Structures are given as C-alpha cells and as structure tokens.
C-alpha cells in the first residue's frame, strides 16, 4: 500500500520542510487520460498554494499517461498506483483506501484545468471551523467544450446542503471537492465499508452530511470543466441533460443508484448522527411501502432536491414506483 511506501513518505516530509503552508494531497483517478493530462498537471504546478502532491490511480490501456507523469517537471511530488479496474467510482475509492488521511484531500479529474487560486480559495473557507468536525468544500465550475472554449458557469446550489438532500441528489462536483483532515479520515475509514458506489462524489456528500459534517458550496468557479464525449456523467445544466436524467428515472437507473446508495450507507450508518440514521431507515422502508404511506414517510424524512424541476422528477419517480 502507498501508505507504507518509505520513499513517498520521505519525499512528502522533505517538501513539508520547505513550506509552512498546509499539505494538500490531490487524488486523481486516471483512465486512458493522456490527451489532456499534461494541462491538468500544469495547472497544479501553477497553484498559488505551493504545498501539494498528487496521487494518481491509473487503469486502462497504456496510452502514455503514466510515463507523462513520471517525466513531468513536478514528477518528484507525483506518485502513481494501479487502479482496481472496476470503473471510476471504484478507482477513487481505491485512492481513499490507499492514501494516508493526513492534511487536506483534494479530488481531481484527469482532463480539467484548475484556476490558479483554486486551492488557496478552498483552504481559506476552512478558516475558523472546528478541525475536529468533518468538512467538505465544493465549488461551481466554468463548463467548457473540449478546447476549453464556450464558457458557461455551472448552476448555483440555492438550498442548504444536508443529508436529506444527499440521499436523493448529488450537488458536489468531485473535481472541485476539498476535504479537511477530519473528513479525509472519515472517508478513508468508510471507504473500506463501501460496496458498489455509483458515484464517488455523491457518496462523499452522503457520508459527510450523514456524520453531521459541514458542507460548503462556493459560488465562485474554481476550474475549467472540460465537456466531451468521454465524460462519465457531465454537467447537469441544460434541458438536454435534464431530459437524459428523466430517462434514467423511466429506465430504472436512478432507482438502481438509490438501491446501491442505501446499501452502502447502511454499512456506514454507525458513523451517522442518530437523526440521520433515522432518516436513512425511513427512506429505506418507504421505498417498499404502499403509495400513500410511501409519500407520507418520505415527507417525514424531509427529502428534497435543489430545483423545482428536480423535485418534480423526484416525486414523479415516487408516484410511479421508480424511487
């Protein structure tokens, strides 16, 4: 495991001697990502926050990505490990299991470009918070095309975050997430309990809110989010994207995701507050209840989504038995 790699520990400790800035470990899942990988790592190198290191979990065919990282000018603070070969979410969970939860964790895609202030701004949001409480930062993004053109800003999150939202909706783009050490320790421990997680960032939002942690949404974009044909999910900021998600309800995809989420969260429910354990149990029971009782139980659980359209789709799925 990477945690016991002496060479990596020595490199990290040597770098910490050079700066008093908090250490940030960037976790990046790589799948045949050579096309845009160099631009992403270059944007790490240009961060105004200097104390970062990158762990990349690499899988897929060898397209030169690993060699690119080994030859990069910042290679002295980059380490590569082998991914499990079971998809993007499993690859990120592999990182959470392998990396020691010390300092801050930041999550990255393989093909975006971070704005120079991204880490500095993110870490500033943790100032004044109790470091013993798990806390997660996430931000908006500039959504672009494959050539980083045609910018549009991703949607605001108007309603406050919370576990009753997290069970039914992901609001945090994984490529923007930063965790404090308490949240990293929580994610590290819970990752060993997780089963089939549909999306790693959704799971992080659920685990942290379930445990009574703090989630902070930054209205300022922190990166250029490259949209192209290989995006696993993509931005949810157009009517075409919303129609795609509505189809997921009809096809049972959303229901299947909830199956996996509830199973996974039940394995870590001992880490949750009593109130959120009750919410999870109520939602799980409601899904198999007759319609009227199902609606009443879900109302009691307080489930909500961020937009009127999203709420309408959610309650429609409840009515037709696809929740």
């Amino acid at each position: 495991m990477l945690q016991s790699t002496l060479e990596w520990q020595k490199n990290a400790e040597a770098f910490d001697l050079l700066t008093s800035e908090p250490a940030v470990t960037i976790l990046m899942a790589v799948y045949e990502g050579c096309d845009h990988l160099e631009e992403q790592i270059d944007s790490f190198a240009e961060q105004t926050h200097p104390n970062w290191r990158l762990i990349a979990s690499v899988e897929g065919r060898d397209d030169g990505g690993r060699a690119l990282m080994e030859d990069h000018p910042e290679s002295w603070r980059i380490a590569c490990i082998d991914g499990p070969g079971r998809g993007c979410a499993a690859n990120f969970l592999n990182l959470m299991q392998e990396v020691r939860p010390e300092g801050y964790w930041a999550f990255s895609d393989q093909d975006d470009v971070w704005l120079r202030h991204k880490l500095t701004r993110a870490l500033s949001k943790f100032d004044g918070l109790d470091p013993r409480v798990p806390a997660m930062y996430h931000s908006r993004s500039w959504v672009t095309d494959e050539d980083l053109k045609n910018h549009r800003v991703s949607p605001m999150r108007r309603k406050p975050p919370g576990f009753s939202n997290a069970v039914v909706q992901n609001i945090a783009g994984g490529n923007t997430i930063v965790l404090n050490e308490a949240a990293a320790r929580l994610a590290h421990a819970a990752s060993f309990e997780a089963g089939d997680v549909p999306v790693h960032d959704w799971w992080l939002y659920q685990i942290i809110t379930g445990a009574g942690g703090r989630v902070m949404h930054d209205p300022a974009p922190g990166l250029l989010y490259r949209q192209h044909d290989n995006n696993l999910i993509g931005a949810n900021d157009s009517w075409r994207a919303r129609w795609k998600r509505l189809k997921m309800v009809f096809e049972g995809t959303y229901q299947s995701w909830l199956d996996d989420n509830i199973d996974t969260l039940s394995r870590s429910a001992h880490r949750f507050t009593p109130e959120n354990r009750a919410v999870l149990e109520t939602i799980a029971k409601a899904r198999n209840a007759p319609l009227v009782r199902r609606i009443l139980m879900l109302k009691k659980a307080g489930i909500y989504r961020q937009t009127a359209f999203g709420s309408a789709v959610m309650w429609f799925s409840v009515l037709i038995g696809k929740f």
Side-chain angles (χ1 to χ4, degrees), residues 7 23 31 49 60 125 136 142 169 172 183 267 271 294:
E7 181 180 358
Y31 179 81
H49 181 85
K125 301 300 181 181
M136 181 178 92
W142 286 110
Q169 181 186 17
R267 302 181 191 197
R271 304 182 186 279
R294 184 189 318 155

Side-chain angles (χ1 to χ4, degrees), residues 3 5-19 23 51 53 76-77 100 102:
Q3 295 178 65
T5 302
L6 182 60
E7 181 180 358
W8 169 256
Q9 291 178 14
K10 288 169 65 177
N11 287 343
E13 290 164 3
F15 188 70
D16 285 340
L17 294 176
L18 301 177
T19 176
N51 192 357
R53 57 202 68 143
W76 64 277
R77 50 176 163 175
R100 180 181 285 119
E102 296 178 348

Side-chain angles (χ1 to χ4, degrees), residues 287-301:
R287 299 178 75 219
N288 297 314
L291 180 59
V292 174
R293 181 163 174 77
R294 184 189 318 155
I295 293 172
L296 292 174
M297 291 176 73
L298 292 174
K299 287 281 190 181
K300 179 182 177 182

Side-chain angles (χ1 to χ4, degrees), residues 158-174:
R158 303 289 182 184
K159 296 180 181 179
F163 186 66
S164 293
N165 177 226
V167 176
V168 297
Q169 181 186 17
N170 180 29
I171 66 170

